[in-house]
Amino acid sequence: MVNGYKPGSLQEALDIRSRTDAIPYAGGTDLMVRNQKGAVYLFLNDIEALKQITDDGDMIRIGAAVTFTRALENDLVPPLMKEALSQIAAPAIRNAGTFGGNLGNASDKADSVLAALALDGRVRLASAGGERTVRIEDFFVKRGETILRDDELIVEVLLPKSRCSLPFYYQKLGGRNALAISRVAFAGVYDVQDGVIRSISVAVIGEGKFTRYREAEAALIGRTAEEVKENAAACADSFIRNMTFTRGRVSAEYRRTVVRNLLTDYLTSLG
Amino acid sequence: MKEISRSIKKKDHDNKIEGRSVYVDDYPLTASGKRILCGKLIHAAYAKARVLSVTLPPLPEGYTYVDRNDVPGDNNVNIVLDDTPVFCRETVEYIGEPIGMLVGPEEAVVDELLAGVKVEYDQIEPMLDLRNGTEAFFDYHFGHGDVDRAFAEADKVYEEEFLTGYQDQTYLEPQGMMAEPEEDGRMFVHGSLQCPYYVHGAVARALGTGPEGVHILQDVTGGGFGGKEDFPSILGCQVAVAAHKTGQPVRCVYNRREDLEFTPKRHPSLCRYKLAVKDGRVTALEADVRFDAGAYSTLSAVVLQRGIIAAPGIYHIPNVRVTGKAIKTNTVPCGAYRGFGAPQTFFAIEMMMNHVAQDLGVDSITFKQQHFAKQGDMTSTQGRYHFPVPIPAMLDEVDALCALRRKHQAYSLPQTGRFRRGIGFSAIFHGAGFTGSGERDIIKATAKLRKYADGTVEVLASNGDIGQGVRTTFPKIVSHELNLPLEKVRYEHPDTARVPDSGPTVASRSLMTVGELLRRAAIRLRDIWQDGVEQEVEEHYKEPDFVIPFYLDRFEGDAYPTYAWSVSAVEVEVDTYTGRVQILGAYGSFDVGTPVDENIVLGQMEGGFLQGLGYASIEKMQYDEKGRIRNNSFTDYLVPTAMDVPKLIARLHVEEYPDGPYGAKGAGELPLVGPPPAYLEAVEMALGGMKRHRLNRIPYSAEDVILELNKEVP
């Protein structure tokens, strides 16, 4: 027996959210496993407003209840995001799992969150009283904790169009070829014009958090791809220095080595 | 291909595909309409501790607590020895050991009560480490030749250590058993199991009833792989005791976490091997084999026996000395898993031979080939390989499939770049049937055919279908001999009240041994067949005349009448940036004798191969410093998925065994045993071979690859 609310509109959902402790439920792929006794859920999968993928001119907007399968079928979703989504779990999970759920579950191994982070993504949150839009890295506090307030819901993920069509680098390492949590994942987006780096992003799974390395990234801007390539190991080091890897299913040394290798490969492949 | 090998639809195919098979957890009520009580176990929280007290929450009416004080007979479960308790004694010996059982009508209430149970312990320092363990349940020694002299006269002596880890069977259906007190006073126990008569003996003893006081039925069983060989005897006793106390049907089904954490797995091993080489040939082997038995001896005796008998692999080595110990540790008791001790020692000898060959500067395929045993040679236990050893021809077949020899040389050259390749191979046997004289002295199998007046025939035997297809292949043999349509011959799930003891469902003996009894019975029935009357024919096992009697006290004689053989090759590409190992191809030639159903056998070969690859690579299970197994979910214990199945080609090579039905030998274990050393040789080769990286343990993960590469001196 499962108890819950099944609102038909976002307004109704926010209203329920503001006055109850019901747990937001989109795809349920993590909540079903958790199977918390006596839980009351706020089912969001009937709300059309949360299931849209749109282009507002500046941003690709992906609703919180959009499933990974739907996103993979949609032409607006950028290639880096699709690459990440296509390696999440298995078809049955992708058919149910959502962008909002991947964020709200507050796992430090969320593959769609990593891709959004590398794309300078934002997340729009709403409550009955108002709304706010924050950067991905500011949304995520630590494993199991985000800034989402008790009265808020995740509405959509925003991906700047200026980043969406740029070349990218992505690699996920799980324990096997499917149904595998990322032990390490790496995502990067870069813009090189006339041999000069205009913008570059680096995002990794393996640190127990979602963060960007703004200083190290900024230090590369304006340099030539050729120069970075020649000094790839040193450039990689400027990122690695700021990273602290967690140990768990694999060791921190494994994570550090793989991220270093991939970073070096990434910096060698620019342009 | 023989007529008998032609593939047919399995008898249980439709029921399973359509979801109509009834597993033990599926019964809403008993067959007689009674409510089934739910039983759940209280598992010990410490690896070694004295249990001072168990304090229960107030139990509502209809809810009962059961422990060792409720066992009407003997609190010792009869397996090989009797050291495993039904419910724990004064101390618990591993995390998860059953202390007692809570029983009642509503599962949710039982769960709630379980959470309220308080157990007071006095902790004792546990012994967890296989290497340092000193208490051996079993300590075997055997050998032949003059080992000391061979080592003294050797040109070079090699010593190396090999390690293998746990492996869990991960059958689809977790362990589950149910007990029903019957009107006539008998206890009816049924569930997910492989060996009805093992459970029969154990339950009769726990209840103190004598054999006639109980009967055991195998329900539809969702896979076993050995994991349901001993454990159902323990769980069967627990539910039977609970049913005895309450007077009502009781069922206990493990959830996946309990199953992964607390039920038997493959023994972790530590093998120390020492080889003497003289004039380029191996002249002596000294093998010191240690298996981690866990807290109770369960099946470790027989697992260890099979393991150490295979210590020299398929190689003819004139001087051999083997020591085998099953070490007691305060961890979950290990038991049977497809291969039964042999994967551990074959891994050791195959890797050892590779490493010695590399040191001698010889290609390991050539080196191994120079040592292959052949027909007439002595086995490790001074028996004989009575029949042709088809390994050289099988090696050629695998070579033709994947250019093994050419790639083996090419990939041995130094490689640079991100992606590097390797190919490995192994050649192994599976000793067909039960080890030693067990078939003759202990099992003494009996199988029956009952012909009914309507002309249908029923097979009466005690071998359970666990996916390997005996419900299909037994009737296939009988219908073949009687020239009857297959629909007229049936084999139901065995109930010990109805079937004779044709032995356990283990060691790939069912088809080879019991199948042959049924073939002979069918021929006799054909000879005496009379229409319109009921007739019965019974056959008893008789050891073939050629067999050299086996003496377990000395490990002398034919440990097996014959052998199944396999050659496996695995080709990999290693990503040196990430450690990821991609399997480019997996190839095997398998001699199981005549396949009694080609599709079933090929399915076994492919499935076993994949389990072997999982064992070698991703199936990692460990306990922490307290002795608790951490990998107790499918998130943390990874087995290969459909996406991890490589290009896999399995071919059959038929070397018929005259005493098996139509020439059949054993098929079950064979495909799992060879792939692990082939896989690891391939990975080692990709990393630059032994000169740079000498690998000696499985599972070997992507992380292991990276950490190994980090050791590389630039």
Side-chain angles (χ1 to χ4, degrees):
Chain A
M1 179 70 181
V2 174
N3 292 312
Y5 303 89
K6 218 166 180 351
S9 73
L10 179 59
Q11 205 46 54
E12 196 185 334
L14 291 172
D15 181 50
I16 296 164
R17 177 76 167 148
S18 68
R19 59 184 170 78
T20 75
D21 291 331
I23 300 166
Y25 183 114
T29 55
D30 285 294
L31 294 174
M32 280 190 270
V33 175
R34 212 170 293 162
N35 195 15
Q36 192 182 319
K37 293 251 157 37
V40 176
Y41 294 107
L42 175 55
F43 293 101
L44 302 171
N45 33 19
D46 262 1
I47 301 173
E48 277 307 312
L50 297 181
K51 293 164 77 173
Q52 306 300 319
I53 302 175
T54 55
D55 175 355
D56 72 1
D58 291 330
M59 297 279 181
I60 301 298
R61 311 176 78 97
I62 304 174
V66 170
T67 66
F68 299 139
T69 298
R70 277 295 153 83
L72 281 165
E73 290 164 349
N74 191 293
D75 292 339
L76 294 174
V77 175
L80 166 58
M81 181 58 79
K82 286 190 174 179
E83 183 63 37
L85 299 180
S86 69
Q87 294 182 52
I88 290 178
I93 301 290
R94 294 198 290 267
N95 288 344
T98 64
F99 285 79
N102 216 204
L103 278 160
N105 187 46
S107 162
D108 56 317
K109 311 278 165 44
D111 295 329
S112 79
V113 177
L114 181 75
L117 176 64
L119 289 164
D120 292 338
R122 287 165 171 63
V123 54
R124 187 161 74 91
L125 313 173
S127 65
E131 63 167 74
R132 52 180 175 154
T133 298
V134 300
R135 297 191 301 186
I136 294 284
E137 60 266 48
D138 297 332
F139 174 77
F140 186 88
V141 178
K142 63 179 193 210
R143 183 176 161 192
E145 189 184 335
T146 70
I147 62 162
L148 192 72
R149 292 196 313 257
D150 287 349
D151 64 343
E152 279 180 319
L153 287 172
I154 301 166
V155 178
E156 57 188 357
V157 175
L158 312 178
L159 305 175
K161 285 182 73 183
S162 60
R163 294 281 172 275
C164 286
S165 53
L166 292 175
F168 68 89
Y169 185 103
Y170 181 78
Q171 182 122 31
K172 164 178 171 144
L173 276 308
R176 61 184 167 197
N177 293 339
L179 289 167
I181 295 168
S182 287
R183 290 173 171 179
V184 176
F186 182 100
V189 176
Y190 57 94
D191 184 9
V192 175
Q193 283 171 32
D194 304 323
V196 178
I197 298 169
R198 300 290 177 193
S199 75
I200 185 162
S201 69
V202 167
V204 305
I205 284 176
E207 280 209 274
K209 61 182 179 184
F210 285 105
T211 189
R212 286 278 293 273
Y213 314 91
R214 301 282 179 192
E215 273 185 42
E217 288 173 1
L220 296 177
I221 292 169
R223 293 173 72 178
T224 65
E226 198 55 37
E227 185 193 346
V228 170
K229 183 177 181 173
E230 278 165 21
N231 298 294
C235 292
D237 205 54
S238 67
F239 286 87
I240 297 278
R241 263 202 303 270
N242 297 309
M243 295 180 179
T244 312
F245 294 94
T246 57
R247 58 182 276 268
R249 292 180 174 106
V250 290
S251 66
E253 183 188 348
Y254 170 70
R255 291 194 164 119
R256 185 181 308 108
T257 307
V258 171
V259 169
R260 182 187 296 280
N261 290 341
L262 296 177
L263 245 174
T264 309
D265 188 47
Y266 172 54
L267 297 173
T268 307
S269 67
L270 303 176
Chain B
M1 191 173 69
K2 287 192 171 179
E3 174 64 25
I4 194 78
S5 302
R6 194 181 302 279
S7 302
I8 58 167
K9 187 156 125 181
K10 283 167 98 172
K11 287 237 182 196
D12 53 356
H13 175 91
D14 288 339
N15 277 347
K16 286 201 171 143
I17 288 296
E18 292 163 16
R20 283 189 280 115
S21 294
V22 178
Y23 297 81
V24 66
D25 198 27
D26 295 335
Y27 295 105
L29 299 167
T30 68
S32 54
K34 287 200 185 114
R35 188 169 65 176
I36 304 162
L37 300 183
C38 167
K40 296 216 174 185
L41 289 161
I42 297 158
H43 295 287
Y46 298 101
K48 191 167 174 71
R50 199 172 307 284
V51 177
L52 302 177
S53 65
V54 177
T55 310
L56 302 171
L59 298 185
E61 199 188 330
Y63 291 81
T64 312
Y65 172 72
V66 184
D67 69 10
R68 70 175 183 277
N69 300 311
D70 301 304
V71 177
D74 187 347
N75 189 42
N76 302 307
V77 183
N78 174 242
I79 301 176
V80 174
L81 303 182
D82 305 318
D83 58 319
T84 310
V86 178
F87 293 106
C88 80
R89 306 187 182 98
E90 291 76 17
T91 64
V92 288
E93 299 288 326
Y94 67 96
I95 290 180
E97 180 167 354
I99 294 171
M101 186 185 268
L102 276 172
V103 179
E106 294 297 332
E107 181 176 359
V109 177
V110 174
D111 277 334
E112 228 166 84
L113 293 171
L114 207 57
V117 174
K118 299 246 179 322
V119 182
E120 200 185 344
Y121 300 93
D122 181 11
Q123 289 187 59
I124 305 167
E125 187 64 30
M127 165 52 74
L128 301 174
D129 188 26
L130 169 62
R131 191 181 293 270
N132 297 325
T134 51
E135 188 182 344
F137 286 121
F138 307 99
D139 186 355
Y140 299 128
H141 303 263
F142 70 93
H144 55 80
D146 190 340
V147 175
D148 294 330
R149 189 169 152 190
F151 275 106
E153 292 176 354
D155 296 335
K156 196 159 180 185
V157 172
Y158 296 87
E159 275 190 80
E160 205 175 339
E161 204 173 89
F162 299 94
L163 297 151
T164 64
Y166 280 122
Q167 187 181 21
D168 191 89
Q169 298 85 355
T170 61
Y171 26 65
L172 283 172
E173 182 201 17
Q175 303 274 3
M177 294 291 288
M178 178 164 152
E180 306 178 23
E182 293 185 324
E183 301 282 317
D184 61 7
R186 287 192 303 176
M187 186 63 76
F188 175 39
V189 177
H190 56 98
S192 188
L193 58 93
Q194 294 182 212
C195 310
Y197 272 96
Y198 281 3
V199 181
H200 191 108
V203 173
R205 181 165 174 164
L207 296 183
T209 60
E212 60 293 328
V214 305
H215 67 110
I216 314 297
L217 166 79
Q218 184 214 20
D219 282 314
V220 179
T221 295
F225 306 109
K228 292 167 184 171
E229 179 172 342
D230 59 354
F231 191 80
S233 294
I234 305 168
L235 191 55
C237 286
Q238 290 158 350
V239 290
V241 169
H244 174 84
K245 180 170 184 179
T246 58
Q248 295 178 67
V250 173
R251 168 171 56 198
C252 178
V253 178
Y254 268 42
N255 64 41
R256 186 61 72 176
R257 282 178 190 271
E258 285 179 295
D259 197 291
L260 281 168
E261 206 173 335
F262 306 140
T263 72
K265 322 167 192 313
R266 190 184 305 293
H267 292 67
S269 72
L270 165 61
C271 291
R272 291 195 192 93
Y273 269 51
K274 196 170 152 190
L275 277 189
V277 174
K278 174 98 177 152
D279 301 326
R281 292 289 186 281
V282 177
T283 52
L285 163 70
E286 194 171 298
D288 173 14
V289 176
R290 288 166 82 88
F291 281 3
D292 186 344
Y296 295 106
S297 70
T298 60
L299 291 166
S300 289
V302 265
V303 172
L304 180 64
Q305 287 163 21
R306 188 176 279 276
I308 58 177
I309 287 166
I314 65 162
Y315 305 110
H316 180 65
I317 301 174
N319 304 288
V320 169
R321 183 190 293 146
V322 180
T323 307
K325 288 194 175 80
I327 302 292
K328 174 177 173 166
T329 61
N330 293 111
T331 58
V332 62
C334 286
Y337 184 176
R338 198 173 196 173
F340 211 68
Q344 293 93 321
T345 49
F346 272 111
F347 172 72
I349 186 67
E350 287 295 287
M351 292 308 291
M352 186 84 192
M353 290 293 277
N354 295 340
H355 292 166
V356 171
Q358 283 198 37
D359 185 73
L360 294 172
V362 188
D363 186 281
S364 66
I365 301 176
T366 311
F367 185 66
K368 286 178 176 176
Q369 196 153 11
Q370 287 164 345
H371 294 85
F372 285 160
K374 54 189 189 306
Q375 184 175 16
D377 280 350
M378 196 168 78
T379 65
S380 70
T381 57
Q382 303 177 61
R384 288 286 177 278
Y385 293 107
H386 294 281
F387 301 99
V389 176
I391 289 283
M394 294 166 71
L395 176 56
D396 289 343
E397 284 160 19
V398 169
D399 187 49
L401 285 176
C402 65
L404 170 65
R405 290 188 175 94
R406 180 176 64 72
K407 287 177 179 169
H408 201 263
Q409 293 198 343
Y411 297 160
S412 293
L413 300 172
Q415 299 179 50
T416 54
R418 175 174 178 176
F419 297 98
R420 300 174 201 174
R421 291 187 174 190
I423 194 165
F425 105 108
S426 66
I428 61 98
F429 64 61
H430 169 70
F434 217 78
T435 297
S437 54
E439 201 71 65
R440 182 195 64 197
D441 296 342
I442 301 166
I443 299 177
K444 301 173 183 163
T446 301
K448 278 188 197 175
L449 291 178
R450 182 176 296 148
K451 192 206 100 189
Y452 294 93
D454 64 2
T456 61
V457 176
E458 183 177 4
V459 173
L460 297 170
S462 63
N463 305 95
D465 198 315
I466 50 174
Q468 88 285 39
V470 291
R471 284 191 74 192
T472 304
T473 47
F474 280 2
K476 195 178 182 187
I477 289 170
V478 172
S479 73
H480 181 81
E481 290 302 333
L482 292 172
N483 206 12
L484 279 176
L486 191 68
E487 307 81 70
K488 297 216 163 187
V489 184
R490 67 178 194 278
Y491 180 37
E492 305 297 348
H493 286 278
D495 182 333
T496 57
R498 296 188 66 237
V499 304
D501 187 356
S502 61
T505 312
V506 300
S508 294
R509 63 174 290 281
S510 299
L511 191 91
M512 182 179 87
T513 304
V514 184
E516 174 64 10
L517 295 184
L518 292 170
R519 191 186 69 88
R520 284 194 239 139
I523 291 170
R524 277 180 47 214
L525 178 59
R526 187 176 66 202
D527 291 344
I528 61 164
W529 185 284
Q530 281 181 287
D531 285 332
V533 296
E534 196 168 311
Q535 290 173 290
E536 203 168 89
V537 180
E538 184 173 293
E539 277 286 331
H540 301 275
Y541 175 78
K542 192 175 132 315
E543 189 166 76
D545 291 337
F546 68 83
V547 170
I548 303 167
F550 186 82
Y551 297 94
L552 184 62
D553 53 340
R554 306 197 299 272
F555 276 79
E556 260 179 50
D558 280 330
Y560 308 99
T562 190
Y563 298 82
W565 304 91
S566 88
V567 171
S568 310
V570 178
E571 185 180 5
V572 305
E573 183 173 81
V574 175
D575 181 347
T576 58
Y577 288 6
T578 64
R580 187 167 172 267
V581 178
Q582 192 195 346
I583 299 174
L584 301 175
Y587 312 88
S589 175
F590 302 97
D591 166 30
V592 303
T594 305
V596 169
D597 190 285
E598 200 179 13
N599 267 353
I600 291 179
V601 171
L602 285 173
Q604 290 268 40
M605 298 306 109
E606 292 172 0
F609 207 121
L610 193 64
Q611 284 176 319
L613 292 173
Y615 180 42
S617 57
I618 61 173
E619 295 191 33
K620 189 171 184 176
M621 182 175 272
Q622 291 175 311
Y623 51 77
D624 62 15
E625 67 283 357
K626 296 196 167 83
R628 177 178 295 281
I629 285 176
R630 302 288 304 275
N631 320 72
N632 67 353
S633 74
F634 283 145
T635 304
D636 284 316
Y637 183 66
L638 302 184
V639 295
T641 67
M643 294 296 285
D644 298 284
V645 180
K647 171 187 168 190
L648 203 168
I649 301 177
R651 290 283 155 80
L652 301 181
H653 179 108
V654 179
E655 188 65 51
E656 294 185 11
Y657 172 50
D659 288 85
Y662 316 102
K665 303 189 277 198
E669 293 82 354
L670 188 73
L672 191 149
V673 181
Y679 176 86
L680 201 67
E681 186 195 7
V683 173
E684 184 179 86
M685 188 180 285
L687 297 187
M690 185 202 89
K691 291 202 173 72
R692 293 164 79 180
H693 301 285
R694 179 189 292 225
L695 309 188
N696 66 347
R697 65 191 159 88
I698 49 170
Y700 204 80
S701 67
E703 177 177 15
D704 293 316
V705 169
I706 288 296
L707 299 184
E708 182 69 27
L709 285 170
N710 278 356
K711 287 191 216 157
E712 194 167 13
V713 183

